[in-house]
Amino acid sequence: MAGTVKLKDIAAAANCSANTVSRALRDCADIGDETKEKIKRIAAELNYVPDNIAGSLRYGKTNLIALVASSLTDPFVAAASDMLVRRLRDKGFIPILMIARGDRRGALLADIKANRVCAVISFFDPDDDIKEYCKGGGAPRFL
């Protein structure tokens, strides 16, 4: 199939609605196991890749986690970032690394807001503005 495979393409091949396809791919309990298996098989055959951006627009949230550091030259930060990236991906999150050097720290909050991150993991003591943004519900978690 040429181009990007969409839910409606899978729905046509499975002879069901795009909503059923969406719910089956998310393992919703109201979709039968046989239907889920059929839809997942068709999705794999068509090389379907979920569109995380479309999902974030629909639900108003992302699976982005900001890993914030002042540098990657510290061996601890580099090793911890590597481990966190692997673990976060395994859990379905999309880690983004943000480097915040002296003059760049002020722009960090704008980057966090613009990317609509769902959590911030910081390797340094960030500005109070970032902490307040996270506490105020901008990012539900700050670690």
Side-chain angles (χ1 to χ4, degrees):
M1 185 172 280
T4 303
V5 177
K6 301 188 182 305
L7 294 181
K8 66 181 181 179
D9 301 321
I10 300 168
N15 197 24
C16 64
S17 71
N19 186 46
T20 299
V21 170
S22 174
R23 297 182 64 71
L25 294 175
R26 289 183 286 127
D27 281 324
C28 292
D30 63 337
I31 304 294
D33 290 338
E34 188 176 312
T35 302
K36 285 180 191 178
E37 289 174 24
K38 176 184 175 183
I39 289 172
K40 288 178 181 183
R41 179 183 45 77
I42 292 170
E45 289 171 0
L46 296 175
N47 296 316
Y48 170 73
V49 177
D51 185 345
N52 292 327
I53 293 172
S56 69
L57 291 172
R58 180 175 182 183
Y59 297 108
K61 66 176 189 169
T62 68
N63 281 344
L64 294 174
I65 305 244
L67 302 177
V68 181
S70 57
S71 170
L72 288 180
T73 58
D74 180 325
F76 169 78
V77 172
S81 296
D82 181 57
M83 183 269 311
L84 281 168
V85 164
R86 284 186 275 123
R87 296 248 172 111
L88 289 169
R89 283 186 179 151
D90 288 346
K91 298 290 184 186
F93 292 100
I94 304 164
I96 57 173
L97 185 61
M98 296 180 159
I99 304 298
R101 295 197 177 117
D103 62 332
R104 176 85 177 95
R105 289 178 75 158
L108 185 60
L109 179 59
D111 289 345
I112 289 169
K113 288 179 178 180
N115 286 289
R116 298 173 64 191
V117 301
C118 64
V120 176
I121 299 172
S122 181
F123 290 103
F124 70 95
D125 187 24
D127 298 335
D128 289 336
D129 290 347
I130 295 171
K131 290 179 186 175
E132 290 304 314
Y133 172 73
C134 293
K135 286 180 187 175
R141 297 179 192 216
F142 178 82
L143 308 169

